[in-house]
């Protein structure tokens, strides 16, 4: 089945630790995105990538890092510099930046 | 920078009525506008995409309009059902999302 997979669904980390969220797609999409969603809020763009080995910062990139070494994969690292990392993280992919996006099931990160 | 606004208050309507949700934007002229549905704890699901040269688009009970003069898109669900209850998000091109409007359809 084609789709986009985020793992894990739930993640707990201690404050001060870096954590990497996985996002894999087998849709052959060029564009991939990471969003953060806080309770009752919309989606805020963290990073996006339109092609392998290239990515751009979104509105709230501080404290996060990404890589795009393969077309299928776009992992997000939440660093200890992110002041309030507890949130619901969503990854998406699309053929290009102006076509419909497919979302993963999300990762709920809790930092204690 | 571009700003996209949706009514943050929940919309409550009775089953069978038409739900109308609003998406306004400023400081931008998008080539496309998209609408998504999001259920609690899940990722958004794509519903409709409308281009700037299209005034209206339909898909089953859904209808989207795009007024580039008013900088506004309206999303309509006709003959609404309790299963339509969800949060609906609009997005400008480059996938910049609004905050979403929660729709509750009661029997």
């Amino acid at each position: 089945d084609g789709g986009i997979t985020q793992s894990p669904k739930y993640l707990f980390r201690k404050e001060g630790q870096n954590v990497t969220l996985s996002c894999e797609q087998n849709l052959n999409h060029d564009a991939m995105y990471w969003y953060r969603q806080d309770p009752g809020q919309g989606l805020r763009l963290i990073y996006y990538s339109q092609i392998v080995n290239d990515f751009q910062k979104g509105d709230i990139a501080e404290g996060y890092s990404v890589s795009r070494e393969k077309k299928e994969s776009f992992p997000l690292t939440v660093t200890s510099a992110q002041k309030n990392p507890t949130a619901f993280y969503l990854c998406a992919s699309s053929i290009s930046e102006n076509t419909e996006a497919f979302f993963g099931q999300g990762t709920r990160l809790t930092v204690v | 920078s571009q700003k996209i606004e949706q009514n943050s208050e929940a919309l409550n309507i009775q089953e069978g009525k038409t739900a109308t949700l609003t998406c306004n934007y400023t400081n931008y002229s998008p080539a496309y506008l998209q609408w998504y549905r999001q259920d609690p704890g899940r990722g958004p699901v794509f519903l409709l995409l409308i281009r700037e040269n299209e005034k209206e688009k339909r898909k089953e009970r859904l209808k989207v309009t795009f007024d580039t003069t008013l900088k506004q898109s309206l999303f309509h669900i006709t003959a609404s059902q309790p299963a339509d209850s969800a949060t609906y998000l609009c997005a400008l091109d480059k996938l910049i999302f609004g905050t979403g409007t929660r729709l509750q359809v009661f029997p």
Side-chain angles (χ1 to χ4, degrees):
Chain A
D1 285 335
I4 180 165
T5 302
Q6 290 185 244
S7 60
K9 189 168 182 179
Y10 298 97
L11 190 55
F12 295 87
R13 277 295 183 270
K14 290 186 177 179
E15 194 172 333
Q17 291 181 333
N18 291 356
V19 59
T20 297
L21 281 60
S22 169
C23 179
E24 303 278 333
Q25 54 98 359
N26 60 5
L27 300 166
N28 200 32
H29 286 171
D30 284 315
M32 296 188 75
Y33 313 81
W34 273 106
Y35 294 90
R36 169 185 173 135
Q37 188 172 36
D38 293 285
Q41 303 294 313
L43 278 64
R44 292 188 290 168
L45 183 64
I46 305 172
Y47 270 98
Y48 65 101
S49 168
Q50 295 178 16
I51 199 167
V52 175
N53 291 324
D54 187 43
F55 49 83
Q56 288 79 41
K57 293 182 179 180
D59 296 327
I60 56 166
E62 186 175 348
Y64 300 97
S65 66
V66 293
S67 63
R68 187 84 188 276
E69 297 176 1
K70 298 187 300 181
K71 189 174 188 177
E72 306 79 31
S73 180
F74 192 41
L76 173 74
T77 297
V78 184
T79 75
S80 56
Q82 169 48 235
K83 291 184 171 52
N84 187 17
T86 294
F88 187 48
Y89 290 88
L90 285 159
C91 179
S93 71
S94 62
I95 295 172
S96 68
E97 64 178 11
N98 286 325
T99 57
E100 66 177 280
F102 294 79
F103 282 82
Q105 64 176 358
T107 293
R108 191 167 297 280
L109 173 65
T110 302
V111 175
V112 296
Chain B
S1 62
Q2 66 266 32
K3 190 174 179 182
I4 182 166
E5 292 181 347
Q6 295 184 255
N7 191 343
S8 59
E9 292 186 14
L11 178 63
N12 298 308
I13 65 165
Q14 191 171 26
E15 183 175 11
K17 302 290 186 186
T18 296
T20 298
L21 286 71
T22 304
C23 177
N24 295 299
Y25 58 91
T26 58
N27 299 331
Y28 196 62
S29 295
Y32 302 80
L33 195 144
Q34 302 184 42
W35 283 89
Y36 290 77
R37 169 186 171 138
Q38 187 178 25
D39 292 287
R42 302 180 72 93
V45 174
F46 170 79
L47 296 174
L48 283 166
L49 181 152
I50 187 165
R51 294 176 174 78
E52 61 178 339
N53 61 350
E54 297 175 317
K55 293 258 188 277
E56 180 181 298
K57 202 138 187 201
R58 293 175 184 261
K59 179 182 175 182
E60 297 173 353
R61 296 185 295 111
L62 309 180
K63 184 177 85 171
V64 172
T65 63
F66 193 7
D67 189 326
T68 55
T69 301
L70 292 178
K71 293 187 181 293
Q72 180 181 80
S73 175
L74 298 179
F75 177 79
H76 307 271
I77 305 175
T78 58
S80 59
Q81 305 165 2
D84 295 325
S85 298
T87 295
Y88 291 86
L89 300 150
C90 66
L92 304 180
D93 51 17
K94 301 186 190 298
L95 288 180
I96 305 298
F97 280 85
T99 54
T101 298
R102 189 163 62 86
L103 172 67
Q104 186 72 37
V105 182
F106 55 90

